[in-house]
């Protein structure tokens, strides 16, 4: 009999849900191989606390599916040794046979929609990028159907560029800013789809065009997923991601599960209020953290001190923020103070999160990390000053170097959850078998 892990297993046993126990055990074995490969059966047993019989049954199934293979020196991606061949290896009684994941057992597509561009990445099961495509498209001017058409064309081109076919794609994950119900596949509101008067079933629109399952998710949640699978969130059940860029986003893992809120639209950290008489936010209310710390807020304050060219769209805002960052870094005292204040407000907000959630880590990420060196001292000081004494210093604050690849990995992780049959996404409606 298996020894299911922690509360998942107990909960499942009490409800008699053997399917769930099986899914949980399978996930733990596969995740252990992914993280610690090459790895022996004995070590898998030690790390997962599963019985030899259970580990053996799961490994046999994974070998048959081609998801893992015996490491006998062959490079990843070669034909999988399973079935009778695999049994022959076992029968020879080799003392230590190592297992590896076959990264090319499945391919997925990750896409990120932002106001002025669409980024598409094709990855394998390990989220290694195989091809990337960036399309300069002003999405916010277009209707949902046209965006879906352009995304379809881009995805087909990126898949061809990766040297594979659409038939080999197990799923597509798309990240976009806004209020996204990932389970239902609906965008309730997004600045990308602002031209649409009603909620948009974007996952279905894209899935129908491609003939492949598509999943959509809030972009900050994608970063949280990427950190959970590949970054600082590995092995940490409670952590927070704060993304700083055009807006301020947040992704939250609680008890190993991505927290979305009762209506699927929670964790709007950027719109938590710091000062009710504060500046006007894009949401129409006053004094949100975002209205002090996002790119547009930095520019608003910088314009009071230095002359800057007019900014009309996201690329020109980006260019102006980069210039302001450069001047501050070169020693402009007034502009340094702008970043100090933005960092202080951000740190105050994070101290509140630390006090409410008691996370193991807070990871600060996003394009705003171009100015991480300017923000970091005041963020850290404000977190230290605002955290309850009992929590002070216990939560690790990480400033994560930023690359667009994080989005792609996150979007890929969205699909990988389905492929790995991750038990913590029990509600997700992705049912894809490898
Ligand atoms: Zn707001």
């Amino acid at each position: 009999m298996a020894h299911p892990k922690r509360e998942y297993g107990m909960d499942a046993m009490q409800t008699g849900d053997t399917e769930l126990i099986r899914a949980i055990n399978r996930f733990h074995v596969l995740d252990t191989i992914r993280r610690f490969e090459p790895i022996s059966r004995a070590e898998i047993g030690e790390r997962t606390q599963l019985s030899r019989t259970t580990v053996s049954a799961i490994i046999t199934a994974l070998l048959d599916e081609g998801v893992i293979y015996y490491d006998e020196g062959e490079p990843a991606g070669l034909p999988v040794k399973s079935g009778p061949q695999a049994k022959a290896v076992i029968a020879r009684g080799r003392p230590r046979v190592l297992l590896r994941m076959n990264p090319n057992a499945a391919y997925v597509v990750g896409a990120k929609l932002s106001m002025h561009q669409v980024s598409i990445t094709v990855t394998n099961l390990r989220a290694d990028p195989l091809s990337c495509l960036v399309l300069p498209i002003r999405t916010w001017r277009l209707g949902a159907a046209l965006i879906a058409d352009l995304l379809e064309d881009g995805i087909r081109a990126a898949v061809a560029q990766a040297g594979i076919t659409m038939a080999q794609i197990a799923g597509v994950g798309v990240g976009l800013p806004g209020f996204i119900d990932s389970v239902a596949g609906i965008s309730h509101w997004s600045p990308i789809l602002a031209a649409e008067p009603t909620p948009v079933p974007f996952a279905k629109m894209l899935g129908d065009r491609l003939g492949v399952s598509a999943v959509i998710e809030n972009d900050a949640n994608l970063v949280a997923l990427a950190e959970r699978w590949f970054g600082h969130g590995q092995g940490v059940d409670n952590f927070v991601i704060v993304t700083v860029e055009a807006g301020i986003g947040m992704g939250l893992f609680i008890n190993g599960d991505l927290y979305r809120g009762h209506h699927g639209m929670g964790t709007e950290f950027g719109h938590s209020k710091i000062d009710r008489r504060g500046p006007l936010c894009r949401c129409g209310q006053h004094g949100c953290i975002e209205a002090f710390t996002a790119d547009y807020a930095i520019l608003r304050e910088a314009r009071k001190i230095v002359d800057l060219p007019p900014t009309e769209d996201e690329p020109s805002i980006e260019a102006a923020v980069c210039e302001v960052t450069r001047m501050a870094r070169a020693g402009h005292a007034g502009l340094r103070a702008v970043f100090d204040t933005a960092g202080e407000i951000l740190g105050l907000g994070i101290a509140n999160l630390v006090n409410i959630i008691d996370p193991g880590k807070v990871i600060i990420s996003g394009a705003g990390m171009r100015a991480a060196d300017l923000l970091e001292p005041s963020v850290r000081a404000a977190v230290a000053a605002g955290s309850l004494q009992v929590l002070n210093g216990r939560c690790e604050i990480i400033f994560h170097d930023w690359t667009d690849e994080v989005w792609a990995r996150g979007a890929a992780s969205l699909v990988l959850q389905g492929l790995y049959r991750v038990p913590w996404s029990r509600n997700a409606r992705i049912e894809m078998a490898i």
Side-chain angles (χ1 to χ4, degrees), residues 102-373:
N102 175 13
N104 299 321
Y107 302 98
V108 302
V109 176
K112 161 98 188 320
L113 304 182
S114 56
M115 301 289 273
H116 64 284
Q117 72 178 32
V118 172
S119 321
I120 298 162
T121 305
V122 179
T123 84
N124 61 16
L125 199 53
R126 219 167 36 198
D128 302 323
L130 304 179
S131 73
C132 295
L133 195 63
V134 177
L135 310 171
I137 298 170
R138 294 180 201 179
T139 50
W140 54 278
R141 291 191 174 180
L142 309 175
L146 191 47
I147 295 174
D149 285 344
L150 292 168
L151 193 51
E152 180 198 354
D153 292 346
I155 288 172
R156 289 186 186 281
V159 167
Q161 210 177 76
I164 53 177
T165 65
M166 281 306 296
Q168 292 173 277
I169 298 296
V172 175
V174 180
L176 68 169
F179 304 137
I180 311 298
D181 182 341
S182 182
V183 174
I186 291 172
S187 163
H188 286 277
W189 179 85
S190 169
I192 306 288
L193 303 167
E196 301 291 334
T198 52
V200 181
F202 196 74
K204 184 174 186 322
M205 289 171 71
L206 186 61
D208 287 350
R209 281 166 170 76
L210 290 166
V212 169
S213 286
V215 196
I216 60 172
E217 180 58 280
N218 169 275
D219 50 9
N221 282 349
L222 287 193
V223 182
L225 279 170
E227 292 287 0
R228 173 73 178 168
W229 279 72
F230 305 105
H232 296 288
Q234 290 185 84
V236 187
D237 280 348
N238 301 286
F239 70 94
V240 175
I241 292 282
V242 173
T243 55
V244 181
E245 40 187 31
I248 305 294
M250 174 176 165
L252 174 61
F253 262 87
I254 291 185
N255 296 332
D257 205 349
L258 184 62
Y259 181 82
R260 292 191 169 89
H262 188 74
H263 304 97
M265 287 172 281
T267 67
E268 285 296 330
F269 173 63
H271 300 288
S272 54
K273 309 295 183 280
I274 287 286
D275 177 1
R276 67 192 170 90
R277 293 191 184 82
L280 180 65
C281 178
R282 294 189 305 177
C283 71
Q285 298 179 328
H286 282 266
C288 300
I289 288 180
E290 180 173 310
F292 288 97
T293 54
D295 286 351
Y296 71 88
I298 300 276
L299 281 188
R300 183 195 62 230
E301 295 306 307
R303 284 186 194 285
K304 295 175 184 171
I305 306 168
V306 293
D307 279 336
L308 292 169
T311 46
E312 288 152 3
D313 50 14
E314 223 175 285
S316 62
I317 291 174
E318 169 87 18
V321 173
C322 285
E323 176 61 9
V324 168
T325 305
R326 189 194 61 75
M327 289 162 75
R329 202 171 278 140
H332 192 298
L335 292 179
R336 271 192 170 269
V338 169
F339 283 100
D340 280 345
T341 304
E344 188 183 355
I345 299 284
L346 185 61
L348 192 56
I350 290 172
N352 289 338
L353 288 179
V354 169
N355 294 342
I356 295 168
I357 296 162
D358 179 21
K361 289 182 180 179
V362 174
I363 304 156
I364 307 170
S365 190
M369 289 305 96
R370 63 173 103 73
D373 55 322

